[in-house]
């Protein structure tokens, strides 16, 4: 009899599969890839996913252990999702087991049954009458019965409170046999032709053209970039395309950056449709996540909305994928499996042969390049839907002007005039805290983090120095730790200082601060926004949290205190990010009658990228930036992989990378002529962080296939290198941050 060997992916960082025998009493014929098995692993047990059944193994047969139990009667992971995970593991050079761990809901990994939960459903009893004399004098029971009568399929127990049905009334009705309660799997599938719960807005001509273009591509894989200025009605286009998808009997997957998944966004989807919406974001608990995943898989959710990892939600009848704010950095995972959800969404759409729509007011240069070269259909919305005007940009040259807590004189005047006209001001400064560092005026001592090559930020309100890189916190010293004098001065300005200064300058107006420190309390943000919506003149000071999701129709002046960081950073993506941030912040303002004005303080008023952005707009900026990338051979005109290493001892990380570099050089020599360059190893831009010394080696390739050929062979060697055991290392394919 041939041996039956089960090859499993286990949740281990090792990039290999593990072989087992079938569990006792399990017939090989019933095994399918995707099924989960409980297996012994060392002295522990783990849950693995069956990848294949084979008849050979490299493990001596007498060492092969049997799996302890088979957990699934059929594979819980649909083939399409399996395929996507295989592709992901290969592309990102990541272990399949760990890839599955990132992709699957945590409860599935822990062995929870992959079946939707049974639920209790309340229903009106057959023959029950609303005018039953027994409830003639019980108005609440009568009301409850009336509500149930409107839901012939029954009401799930967990929805009782949403429908204002009280459990007490239902229990009384149950005792009178006027209602029944039944435990079953889920509500009957509701196929209907009334998907709209609310009328649609008539599309304007730009929206209509975009809508028609995507609809014409509904039958198969097509990628589109919807480049529409903020407020141009991209969301309305999404909603109408989703309606088309639902009408075709299919499901839609919508990815949104974490921070946008506020109640406002969700409400728009929920109000529009009579549809089952599955939510997958960080505030959803493990059970809800599994339920949403199962509902989507089984075709019991019509719309799936979620953040990055929702990309891995299977769909029974996939019809459309939408990536909102496709430029957003949160789509790239920065730990473990370093995938980019937007890039994978394109792979998925191609595999499932469905259309995909990327939307943004400030598309990434990569996506724009794909659109300009014809790989994506380019759909432009150039006008604001409500008729509001685009804001006007001005550069304010602050060279040799005194800055008062970061705010120049002309900027103060502009703020004052706006407030006097009864309007609101938004002050943007992408640095939280009071000041970026503390300086001793006598000896020049600067407050530094003991664990990082970084200054600590002064947080005046809490009296602390904090490191924004590792979380280190200490009290603000009373005197200089070096020379003992008391003349310690905060240098530079963060949002806390700007807030304090603005409060002094404009005592008659409220100043509201929005950053991670001010809004860590739950709901604080929403309270703030309620204040702002009321419309009185006020000043809003904040970080990039202001750039996302919310609309401030009463804001007519946007003050950008510092844009220069993005113009002289060593990171080649910094200027793109800065431009996106400025345009996104500006886009929050002046939506209504009053046009907005954006004033940018800068020491580089004549910088070509800043001039392009402020005078010609984002797309002119982007074209210039793309041509600079082409000239420099940077993405999207080349492909990158970054090998990072860190260690407690200085030099260790570089030692490993030196060895890795030699190995790569040898492989390249064997490959023959190629377009690959190795840059480094070099210390990371911030060499020491959280007590570890960090270094990196960048691989740059003109051709993607060559890069992957190198990586495939290289990773196998890196895993064998003894010097690699003393460091923490990771490979980042298509890195976004070069730190
Ligand atoms: P975006 O997603 O591009 O930022 P939204 O979809 O949020 O834009 O639309 C901005 C505003 O314009 C919203 O208040 C929306 O209700 C309104 N709007 C969108 N499309 C239309 C339309 N066709 N007619 C009238 N108003 C519209
Ligand atoms: Zn000193
Ligand atoms: Zn630190």
């Amino acid at each position: 009899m041939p041996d039956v060997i089960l090859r499993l992916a286990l949740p281990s960082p090792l990039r290999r599969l593990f072989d087992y025998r079938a569990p006792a009493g399990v017939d090989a014929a019933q095994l399918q890839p995707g099924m989960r098995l409980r297996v012994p692993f060392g002295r522990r047990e783990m849950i693995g996913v069956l990848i294949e059944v084979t008849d050979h193994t490299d493990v001596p047969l007498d060492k092969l252990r049997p799996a302890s139990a088979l957990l699934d009667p059929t594979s819980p992971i649909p083939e399409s999702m399996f395929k996507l995970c295989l592709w992901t593991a290969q592309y990102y050079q990541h272990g399949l087991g760990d890839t599955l761990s990132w992709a699957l809901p945590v409860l599935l990994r822990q062995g929870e049954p992959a079946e939707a939960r049974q639920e209790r459903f309340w229903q009106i009893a057959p023959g029950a009458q609303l005018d039953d004399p027994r409830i003639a004098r019980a108005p609440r029971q009568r009301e409850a019965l009336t509500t149930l009568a409107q839901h012939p399929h029954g009401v799930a127990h967990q929805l009782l409170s949403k429908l204002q049905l009280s459990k007490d009334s239902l229990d009384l009705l149950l005792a009178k046999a006027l209602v029944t309660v039944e435990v079953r799997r889920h509500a009957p599938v509701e196929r209907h032709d009334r998907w709209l719960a609310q009328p649609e807005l008539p599309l304007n001509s730009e929206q209509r053209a975009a809508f028609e273009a995507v609809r014409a591509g509904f039958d198969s894989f097509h990628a589109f970039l919807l480049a529409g200025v903020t407020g141009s009605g991209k969301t309305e286009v999404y909603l109408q395309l989703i309606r088309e998808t639902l009408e075709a009997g299919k499901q839609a997957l919508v990815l949104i950056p974490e921070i946008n998944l506020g109640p406002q966004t969700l409400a728009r989807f929920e109000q529009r449709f009579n549809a089952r919406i599955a939510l997958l974001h960080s505030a959803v608990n493990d059970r809800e996540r599994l339920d949403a995943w199962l509902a989507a898989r089984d075709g019991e959710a019509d719309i799936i909305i979620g953040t990055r990892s929702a990309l891995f939600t299977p769909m029974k009848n996939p019809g459309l994928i939408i990536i909102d704010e496709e430029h957003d950095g949160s789509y790239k995972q920065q730990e473990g499996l370093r995938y980019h959800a937007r890039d994978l969404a394109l792979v998925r759409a191609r595999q499932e042969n469905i259309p995909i729509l990327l939307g943004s007011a400030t598309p990434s240069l990569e996506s724009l390049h794909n659109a300009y070269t014809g790989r994506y259909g380019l759909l432009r919305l150039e006008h604001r839907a409500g008729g509001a005007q685009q804001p006007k940009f001005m550069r304010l040259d602050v060279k040799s002007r005194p800055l008062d807590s970061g705010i120049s004189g002309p900027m103060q005047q502009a703020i004052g005039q706006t407030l006097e006209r009864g309007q609101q001001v938004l002050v943007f400064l992408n640095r939280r805290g009071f000041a970026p560092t503390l300086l001793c005026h006598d000896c020049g001592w600067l407050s530094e983090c003991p664990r990082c090559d970084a200054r600590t930020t002064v947080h005046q309100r809490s009296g602390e120095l904090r490191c924004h890189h590792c979380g280190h916190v200490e009290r603000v010293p009373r005197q200089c730790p070096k020379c003992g004098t008391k003349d310690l001065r905060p240098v530079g300005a963060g949002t806390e200082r700007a807030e304090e200064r603005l409060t002094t300058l404009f005592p008659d107006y409220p100043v509201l601060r929005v950053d991670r420190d001010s809004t860590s309390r739950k709901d604080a943000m929403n309270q703030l926004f309620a204040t702002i919506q009321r419309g009185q003149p006020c000043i809003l000071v904040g970080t990039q949290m202001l750039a996302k999701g919310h609309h401030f129709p009463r804001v007519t002046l946007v003050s950008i205190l510092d844009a220069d960081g993005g113009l002289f950073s060593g990171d080649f993506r910094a200027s793109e990010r800065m431009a996106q941030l400025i345009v996104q912040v500006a886009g929050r303002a002046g939506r209504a009658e009053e046009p907005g004005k954006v004033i940018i303080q800068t020491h580089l008023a004549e910088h070509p990228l800043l001039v392009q952005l402020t005078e010609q707009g984002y797309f002119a900026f982007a074209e210039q930036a793309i041509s600079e990338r082409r000239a420099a051979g940077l993405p999207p005109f080349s492909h990158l992989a970054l090998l990072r290493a860190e260690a407690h001892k200085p030099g260790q990380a570089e030692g490993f990378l030196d060895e890795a570099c030699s190995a790569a050089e040898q492989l390249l020599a064997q490959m023959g002529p190629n377009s690959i360059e190795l840059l480094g190893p070099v210390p990371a831009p911030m060499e020491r962080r959280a007590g570890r010394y960090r270094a990196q080696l960048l691989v740059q390739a003109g051709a993607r296939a060559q890069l992957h050929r190198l990586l495939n062979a290289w990773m196998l060697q890196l895993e064998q290198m003894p010097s690699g055991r003393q460091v923490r290392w990771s490979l980042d394919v298509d890195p976004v941050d070069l730190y």
Side-chain angles (χ1 to χ4, degrees):
M1 217 180 75
D3 291 303
V4 174
I5 314 286
L6 312 190
R7 193 149 290 161
L8 299 184
L10 296 183
S12 137
L14 297 176
R15 291 191 324 136
R16 48 165 288 211
L17 300 175
F18 297 84
D19 293 350
Y20 286 88
R21 287 181 190 283
V26 169
D27 181 3
Q30 71 190 88
L31 292 169
Q32 303 163 1
M35 288 178 168
R36 294 168 301 161
L37 292 117
R38 195 181 295 283
V39 297
F41 190 84
R43 270 185 248 147
R44 292 186 298 145
E45 289 221 306
M46 278 191 176
I47 290 175
V49 174
L50 182 62
I51 303 302
E52 59 171 345
V53 180
T54 151
D55 57 6
H56 61 277
T57 175
D58 299 335
V59 184
L61 282 177
D62 56 329
K63 290 258 169 66
L64 211 57
R65 301 163 77 179
S68 359
L70 176 63
L71 301 182
D72 297 302
T74 57
S75 168
I77 309 169
E79 203 187 323
S80 57
M81 206 34 55
F82 213 67
K83 228 168 104 186
L84 183 66
C85 290
L86 284 171
W87 195 97
T88 303
Q90 255 163 29
Y91 184 84
Y92 291 104
Q93 301 287 334
H94 202 78
L96 185 55
D98 200 51
T99 302
L100 288 167
S101 293
W102 283 107
L104 296 177
V106 64
L107 289 183
L108 268 195
R109 289 182 254 139
Q110 293 170 357
E112 193 78 4
E115 291 287 330
R117 259 181 314 179
Q118 303 253 324
E119 252 192 295
R120 267 191 297 166
F121 283 85
W122 295 85
Q123 244 159 314
I124 184 164
Q129 298 296 326
L130 294 179
D131 56 1
D132 190 292
R134 287 173 293 168
I135 52 172
R137 266 175 291 150
R140 297 192 41 171
Q141 290 177 52
R142 226 171 40 237
E143 235 171 75
L145 198 62
T146 312
T147 307
L148 281 188
Q150 289 158 0
H151 292 83
H153 298 305
V155 170
H157 190 77
Q158 61 167 20
L159 293 180
L160 292 184
S161 58
K162 200 170 167 188
L163 294 174
Q164 278 149 17
L165 284 166
S166 93
K167 174 80 170 40
D168 293 345
S169 310
L170 291 177
D171 283 340
L172 293 168
L173 289 167
L174 188 63
K176 300 184 182 105
L178 291 171
V179 306
T180 61
V181 71
E182 178 185 13
V183 178
R184 62 168 189 246
R185 212 182 131 198
H186 48 72
V189 176
E190 289 192 25
R191 283 271 145 255
H192 53 76
D193 45 10
R194 288 176 293 106
W195 289 108
L196 288 179
Q198 152 196 91
E200 295 181 326
L201 296 172
L203 296 179
N204 63 35
S205 59
E206 286 184 328
Q207 286 173 314
R208 176 139 301 278
F211 170 83
E212 296 293 352
V214 180
R215 194 171 56 167
F218 257 26
D219 54 329
S220 59
F221 170 72
H222 283 98
F224 299 93
L225 177 62
L226 181 60
V229 299
T230 31
S232 59
K234 295 184 290 297
T235 311
E236 186 63 34
V237 175
Y238 302 156
L239 290 168
Q240 301 203 15
L241 286 167
I242 292 171
R243 194 247 312 134
E244 288 279 320
T245 308
L246 300 177
E247 283 174 356
K250 296 191 172 161
Q251 297 163 286
L253 170 66
V254 183
L255 295 193
I256 303 191
E258 183 74 51
I259 205 150
N260 282 23
L261 240 160
Q264 286 187 344
T265 315
L266 283 182
R268 277 180 86 173
F269 286 85
E270 282 174 348
Q271 285 161 9
R272 176 62 60 91
F273 295 113
N274 296 311
R276 296 159 301 178
I277 299 182
L279 280 184
L280 290 142
H281 55 82
S282 62
V284 164
N285 71 32
D286 290 345
R287 183 67 236 182
E288 292 164 334
R289 186 174 294 271
L290 177 57
D291 287 344
W293 191 91
L294 292 168
R297 181 195 69 176
D298 297 341
E300 287 157 14
D302 307 303
I303 305 172
I304 298 104
I305 305 179
T307 45
R308 182 173 67 220
S309 66
L311 181 266
F312 292 108
T313 313
M315 287 186 277
K316 188 169 183 206
N317 305 303
L320 175 67
I321 301 179
I322 291 172
I323 315 287
D324 189 31
E325 309 287 359
E326 66 86 30
H327 67 280
D328 196 275
S330 72
Y331 287 125
K332 168 82 175 176
Q333 178 151 297
Q334 304 281 17
E335 53 168 337
L337 174 63
R338 295 178 148 79
Y339 68 99
H340 201 302
R342 175 199 62 214
D343 297 351
L344 279 185
L346 279 143
V347 173
R348 178 169 182 187
R350 189 184 290 276
Q351 286 184 349
E352 309 218 36
N353 202 26
I354 56 171
I356 176 167
L357 178 61
L358 313 179
S360 175
T362 53
S364 63
L365 300 188
E366 277 85 355
S367 295
L368 266 180
H369 177 66
N370 280 326
Y372 290 150
T373 52
R375 222 167 302 162
Y376 303 165
L378 180 57
L379 313 167
R380 295 279 301 260
L381 306 179
E382 307 200 23
H383 302 98
R384 288 187 162 188
Q389 297 167 42
Q390 294 270 30
K392 291 206 171 26
F393 286 84
M394 287 170 52
R395 299 186 304 280
L396 174 58
D397 192 343
V398 289
K399 256 194 319 287
S400 74
R401 268 186 213 280
L403 290 179
D404 171 4
S405 293
I407 312 163
S408 66
M411 189 68 101
Q412 292 182 10
Q413 276 169 20
I415 293 172
Q417 285 162 4
T418 308
L419 293 170
E420 276 161 30
R421 281 201 303 271
Q423 296 162 350
Q424 299 179 340
V425 180
L426 190 160
V427 176
F428 172 75
L429 177 56
N430 210 13
R431 205 188 286 133
R432 64 199 168 86
F434 187 81
T437 188
L438 191 65
L439 167 78
C440 171
H441 195 58
D442 269 13
C443 77
W445 170 87
L446 285 166
S447 63
E448 276 168 359
C449 176
R451 310 174 66 215
C452 303
D453 291 330
R455 309 264 157 79
T456 48
T457 302
V458 184
H459 285 254
Q460 187 140 296
R461 200 149 307 164
S462 58
E464 288 167 344
L465 295 174
R466 292 191 209 153
C467 173
H468 289 180
H469 303 284
C470 72
H472 169 84
V473 178
E474 60 190 78
R475 304 295 310 162
V476 172
R478 281 173 193 285
Q479 52 196 51
C480 173
K482 204 167 137 202
C483 74
T485 59
K486 293 200 169 147
D487 194 0
L488 295 176
R489 301 182 184 179
V491 187
T495 45
E496 208 183 284
R497 188 174 211 167
E499 176 195 20
E500 187 191 87
R501 187 68 193 130
L502 289 164
T503 308
T504 315
L505 285 170
F506 304 104
D508 300 336
Y509 301 94
V511 179
L512 308 165
R513 178 160 61 91
V514 180
D515 57 30
R516 212 159 2 122
D517 303 319
S518 72
T519 53
S520 48
R521 224 164 16 94
K522 214 178 162 192
D523 285 341
M525 188 107 164
N526 288 332
Q527 279 174 24
L528 260 172
F529 291 127
T531 312
I532 295 155
Q533 299 303 342
R534 255 176 260 136
Q536 282 96 348
C538 66
I539 304 177
L540 210 64
V541 188
T543 58
Q544 58 176 338
M545 286 181 81
L546 286 175
K548 306 194 179 180
H550 290 272
H551 303 154
F552 310 115
R554 302 299 183 96
V555 168
T556 57
L557 172 64
V558 176
S559 304
I560 296 186
L561 295 190
D562 180 15
D564 295 352
L567 295 174
F568 50 70
S569 162
D571 182 345
F572 73 88
R573 287 185 213 275
S575 60
E576 176 185 356
R577 258 185 242 125
M578 176 218 53
Q580 288 166 342
L581 211 45
I582 290 178
V583 173
Q584 293 282 348
V585 174
R588 304 296 128 202
R591 291 205 150 198
E593 321 68 46
E594 199 68 45
K597 188 154 84 173
V598 183
I599 303 181
I600 304 173
Q601 283 190 171
T602 174
H603 290 89
L604 303 163
E606 299 314 315
H607 193 291
L609 286 176
L610 196 57
V611 172
Q612 282 281 11
L613 180 70
T614 50
E615 290 180 6
Q616 317 279 325
Y618 182 77
F619 293 91
F621 156 85
E623 272 177 48
Q624 166 113 9
I626 289 175
S627 63
E628 285 182 11
R629 295 262 188 103
R630 178 180 298 134
L634 288 165
F637 302 94
S638 65
H639 308 281
L640 302 180
L642 186 64
L643 182 63
R644 297 186 179 89
E646 55 179 53
H648 284 294
K649 282 195 212 139
Q652 251 177 355
E654 269 126 317
F656 165 69
L657 293 182
D658 277 331
E659 228 180 297
C661 192
S662 317
E665 276 161 0
Q666 277 179 23
L667 289 169
L668 289 177
Q670 290 160 22
M671 261 169 78
N674 63 67
S675 59
I676 297 179
E677 273 186 78
L678 300 167
L679 307 167
V682 292
M686 183 191 300
E687 185 177 7
R688 203 164 50 99
R689 189 161 88 186
R692 289 170 184 272
Y693 293 85
R694 310 177 314 141
Q696 58 192 39
L697 171 61
L698 187 65
V699 186
Q700 186 170 22
R704 162 99 48 213
Q706 287 178 359
L707 177 63
H708 271 85
R709 239 172 77 209
L710 171 70
L711 296 183
N712 289 338
W714 196 34
M715 281 296 280
L716 294 175
Q717 296 190 353
L718 296 181
E719 282 167 340
Q720 302 302 322
M721 266 176 207
S723 58
R725 309 232 162 89
Q726 280 138 38
V727 304
R728 252 203 237 164
W729 63 270
S730 63
L731 183 76
D732 190 348
V733 178
D734 302 333
V736 168
D737 278 323
L738 293 189
Y739 297 103

